Amino acid sequence: MTSVPVFLAGALRELLQPLNILCGLVAYFCWKLIYALYFSPLRNVPGSIWPRITSLALFFYEVRGLEPEFIKFHNKKYGGIFVMTPSRVAICDPEDSQIILGTHAFLKDKRYSNIEIMEPNMFLTVDPELNKQRRRQMGPSMSVANLKLMEPAILEAGPKQLFNKWDRDIEQSADGLTARVSYYNDLMLMAFDIVGSLGFGQTHRSLTSGDTQIVKWVHSAFMLIFLQSVMPLVKTTLFRQFIVKSFYDKFDAFHTLCAKAVSKRKKLLSGLQPNENKPKDILQSYIDAEDPESRIRMTSSQVVAETVISLLAGSDTTSNTMVWTIHLLLMHPHYYSRVVEEVRAVFDRDHIISYSEAKTSLPFLEACIYESLRLVPVATKMPRFIPPGGATLHGHFIPEGYNCTVSITGVNTNPEVWERSYEFYPERFLDNKANRRIVLTFSAGVRVCPGKNLAWMEIQSTLANIFNRYNLEIPADSLFTPDRVDNNGLPILMPRKLVTTCMSKFPERDCVVLVTRRV
């Protein structure tokens, strides 16, 4: 009876000999290679060897926040479609992207379903029916007409608050004329205050008050979303209770704050008289939102979930877009001068420029924003499942059960699509609606970014007011200047990293500018 266990133990010791382990690994690698090259349904799709064999090739880029560099390298080498992992292809062609994004048939993949930090919401849900219902309920909330009712609050929390901060910094500077400011921090806090004011129903002034507690909670939520999307193991009890407990605790505090705001607003509404007006903000719009087909309204917990995701998606993305636009203009001083001249030719220094005024009067500024969105998109990818029956993309049939990723980075910088694709060249968007339509930074089709109109309202009005009221100059100790160029003669941009959005890798060092008042 003891001979069998003894035999198994001996066999196990033999198998675990270093030479046998090495032979097993070599055999496994050879099989993966042979399968990838001769049997895989993706064998005819362009791409390099390592992504065909293992997902680690992409994972190593993702965890370091360098996924855009992975995409650009392979896009330039292989074109509009290439293998990202053994079961995934990247799509960098605008026409294929429109096909994928134009229908709910290509469902959001498991990276979205991996994120379980709150109730399902319009952005993260993989359920097309829930997404459709939310868009019917919330669509009017984010219309330009409705947002214009909120513009006074946007300007108060946005440009006006920024003016107060920068004017104070100038007055407190050594010479009383020039302030050294971190525009990354200031724009991030400002964008948070705008969305926070609209979503919480109360005045938020973290930029001028210095209270950044809620902003820290928001960043913790972003980290959880990133970690859960690339490493689902984070959701296990061990990680939740010990390793990343602080992230979950901060998110819970943030979620509780949103829940209290909804409860407070509903209590206020119950006491309103018939002739009293309701507040005009996103929170109220969500509470009032109704599906015109089913007449269903969102529950309080659903309003909380949508408010949380709106605040998350609407703060970092908007502020980082403004940061990259300023950085790109400072790296191209002839374009910076042109924007400043355009703004100041129309508006007096102390005039607060509204979104409508900026949209109507400042076409070159708008072109520069589009070019920033194209060249350094703050969102970089949209992973999808291949639908039942498979799909033909860029001339290659991809079967059901595989995945594709619409690469915003790839589409926006594809050398086959864009002339001077890696160059900051805003003229490409002047009077060119076709080019504007294929910039995918706000997505497209059935799941286009619901906050697109609000983002544009914030970005255009804020940048217009900054360039109208202040002069910006690169500090002498900056590592990145227009004169520091790459092998192609283009200015070297500050390094970036990708968490949930593409941001400066060292914002405290690289997003600093000298500010003086316009004379």
Side-chain angles (χ1 to χ4, degrees), residues 59-301:
F59 180 75
F60 287 146
Y61 278 87
E62 288 181 326
V63 296
R64 292 180 296 157
L66 298 176
E67 179 259 348
E69 279 62 37
F70 176 92
I71 292 292
K72 286 182 179 180
F73 173 80
H74 287 83
N75 175 215
K76 190 174 182 180
K77 187 173 182 179
Y78 297 108
I81 186 172
F82 57 85
V83 176
M84 290 182 78
T85 74
S87 61
R88 181 181 300 276
V89 296
I91 303 299
C92 302
D93 179 78
E95 292 184 9
D96 291 319
S97 299
Q98 295 294 338
I99 291 172
I100 295 168
L101 300 175
T103 172
H104 283 290
F106 291 81
L107 297 178
K108 285 191 170 186
D109 81 356
K110 62 182 181 180
R111 293 208 168 195
Y112 294 91
S113 58
N114 283 343
I115 302 168
E116 299 174 353
I117 57 175
M118 57 185 167
E119 185 167 334
N121 55 76
M122 179 168 62
F123 177 72
L124 294 177
T125 182
V126 299
D127 179 4
E129 294 307 315
L130 176 59
N131 181 264
K132 291 176 188 177
Q133 183 185 67
R134 284 289 187 273
R135 287 180 183 273
R136 290 193 300 266
Q137 290 171 324
M138 298 165 56
S141 305
M142 291 297 183
S143 67
V144 173
N146 194 51
L147 290 172
K148 282 186 176 179
L149 299 176
M150 308 176 199
E151 189 165 22
I154 293 173
L155 292 173
E156 286 293 335
K160 290 183 180 180
Q161 188 189 189
L162 188 69
F163 292 169
N164 291 336
K165 165 69 163 55
W166 284 9
D167 286 347
R168 184 182 67 193
D169 290 345
I170 291 173
E171 291 170 2
Q172 295 176 353
S173 64
D175 61 1
L177 299 173
T178 304
R180 184 183 177 98
V181 303
S182 168
Y183 60 91
Y184 170 87
N185 286 335
D186 289 350
L187 291 173
M188 183 266 294
L189 293 173
M190 185 205 75
F192 171 83
D193 286 341
I194 291 173
V195 183
S197 295
L198 299 178
F200 286 169
Q202 52 190 282
T203 300
H204 275 270
R205 294 293 183 266
S206 57
L207 173 59
T208 46
S209 71
D211 182 5
T212 60
Q213 179 62 67
I214 301 177
V215 177
K216 293 175 182 177
W217 293 347
V218 169
H219 285 171
S220 293
F222 268 119
M223 283 302 302
L224 278 180
I225 289 174
F226 171 71
L227 291 172
Q228 287 191 3
S229 67
V230 299
M231 292 186 294
L233 188 66
V234 169
K235 296 184 293 183
T236 62
T237 302
L238 175 64
F239 275 79
R240 279 179 174 268
Q241 293 186 357
F242 300 102
I243 301 176
V244 292
K245 184 178 184 299
S246 64
F247 287 137
Y248 281 101
D249 288 345
K250 290 174 183 176
F251 174 77
D252 288 342
F254 175 47
H255 190 275
T256 299
L257 181 68
C258 292
K260 288 181 178 178
V262 173
S263 178
K264 183 178 179 181
R265 174 58 58 84
K266 287 196 170 184
K267 184 177 181 180
L268 171 68
L269 294 175
S270 66
L272 284 182
Q273 299 300 316
N275 61 340
E276 290 186 272
N277 293 324
K278 297 179 181 178
K280 294 180 175 62
D281 54 27
I282 291 175
L283 176 59
Q284 187 62 48
S285 295
Y286 285 0
I287 291 173
D288 291 340
E290 181 179 83
D291 181 356
E293 295 183 6
S294 65
R295 318 308 298 182
I296 293 175
R297 290 191 174 190
M298 290 187 285
T299 65
S300 292
S301 63

Side-chain angles (χ1 to χ4, degrees), residues 218-426:
V218 169
H219 285 171
S220 293
F222 268 119
M223 283 302 302
L224 278 180
I225 289 174
F226 171 71
L227 291 172
Q228 287 191 3
S229 67
V230 299
M231 292 186 294
L233 188 66
V234 169
K235 296 184 293 183
T236 62
T237 302
L238 175 64
F239 275 79
R240 279 179 174 268
Q241 293 186 357
F242 300 102
I243 301 176
V244 292
K245 184 178 184 299
S246 64
F247 287 137
Y248 281 101
D249 288 345
K250 290 174 183 176
F251 174 77
D252 288 342
F254 175 47
H255 190 275
T256 299
L257 181 68
C258 292
K260 288 181 178 178
V262 173
S263 178
K264 183 178 179 181
R265 174 58 58 84
K266 287 196 170 184
K267 184 177 181 180
L268 171 68
L269 294 175
S270 66
L272 284 182
Q273 299 300 316
N275 61 340
E276 290 186 272
N277 293 324
K278 297 179 181 178
K280 294 180 175 62
D281 54 27
I282 291 175
L283 176 59
Q284 187 62 48
S285 295
Y286 285 0
I287 291 173
D288 291 340
E290 181 179 83
D291 181 356
E293 295 183 6
S294 65
R295 318 308 298 182
I296 293 175
R297 290 191 174 190
M298 290 187 285
T299 65
S300 292
S301 63
Q302 290 168 345
V303 171
V304 171
E306 298 298 345
T307 301
V308 168
I309 203 66
S310 295
L311 188 56
L312 293 176
S315 53
D316 270 30
T317 51
T318 300
S319 63
N320 277 303
T321 296
M322 290 189 279
V323 165
W324 284 112
T325 304
I326 290 174
H327 179 67
L328 287 164
L329 286 170
L330 291 175
M331 292 299 103
H332 299 81
H334 57 296
Y335 286 135
Y336 169 74
S337 297
R338 185 171 170 181
V339 166
V340 169
E341 290 171 5
E342 178 185 61
V343 176
R344 297 181 184 182
V346 181
F347 301 104
D348 293 333
R349 184 191 67 178
D350 296 325
H351 179 73
I352 304 299
I353 304 170
S354 69
Y355 166 69
S356 298
E357 291 173 326
K359 178 78 175 172
T360 302
S361 304
L362 306 175
F364 189 69
L365 172 60
E366 186 176 56
C368 289
I369 296 169
Y370 266 107
E371 182 68 338
S372 174
L373 290 167
R374 182 195 71 84
L375 190 60
V376 192
V378 291
T380 62
K381 60 189 174 186
M382 292 171 282
R384 298 290 190 267
F385 284 117
I386 298 296
T392 299
L393 300 170
H394 216 67
H396 296 275
F397 179 75
I398 313 298
E400 175 185 354
Y402 283 74
N403 306 302
C404 63
T405 288
V406 175
S407 172
I408 299 174
T409 299
V411 173
N412 283 5
T413 60
N414 191 335
E416 296 176 351
V417 176
W418 302 96
E419 179 186 2
R420 300 158 69 173
S421 61
Y422 299 117
E423 181 179 341
F424 185 72
Y425 179 59

